[in-house]
Amino acid sequence: MRERGSGTRHVIELALERQDVKRNSLHIVMELDSTEAIKSAVEVGLGIGFVSRWAIAKDLRLGNNFKIVEIEGLTIKRQFLVVYASARAARAGP
């Protein structure tokens, strides 16, 4: 599972709670701070993990050891925002 305070973890916990899965019923044995760390842990057989489809898209195309498991009724969505410097700020430099 992602580390406490992670936005990804928060979204996952909310989605599970909507399905009446309580946080204290989860058997979390490891908290990791990156998607790559979760992928590595799953790859060596340490359990299951929640990551974006986009995070494993290349692995799936290459036939690596990942599988997407659909859970009926469980939808997890996360919003991301794009932040960029305005043209005026970019011209001004650091």
Side-chain angles (χ1 to χ4, degrees), residues 39-60:
K39 287 172 54 178
S40 294
V42 169
E43 197 167 28
V44 298
L46 296 178
I48 65 170
F50 290 91
V51 297
S52 164
R53 289 177 188 269
W54 302 107
I56 61 168
K58 183 177 178 181
D59 297 287
L60 293 173

Side-chain angles (χ1 to χ4, degrees), residues 61-80:
R61 283 194 311 274
L62 295 174
N64 291 350
N65 299 323
F66 294 106
K67 179 180 178 183
I68 294 174
V69 177
E70 300 283 343
I71 302 171
E72 188 175 331
L74 181 65
T75 301
I76 302 172
K77 291 189 179 192
R78 173 111 194 254
Q79 278 191 316
F80 290 92

Side-chain angles (χ1 to χ4, degrees), residues 28-41:
I28 299 172
V29 297
M30 196 177 306
E31 294 180 353
L32 301 167
D33 64 357
S34 74
T35 297
E36 288 303 315
I38 291 171
K39 287 172 54 178
S40 294

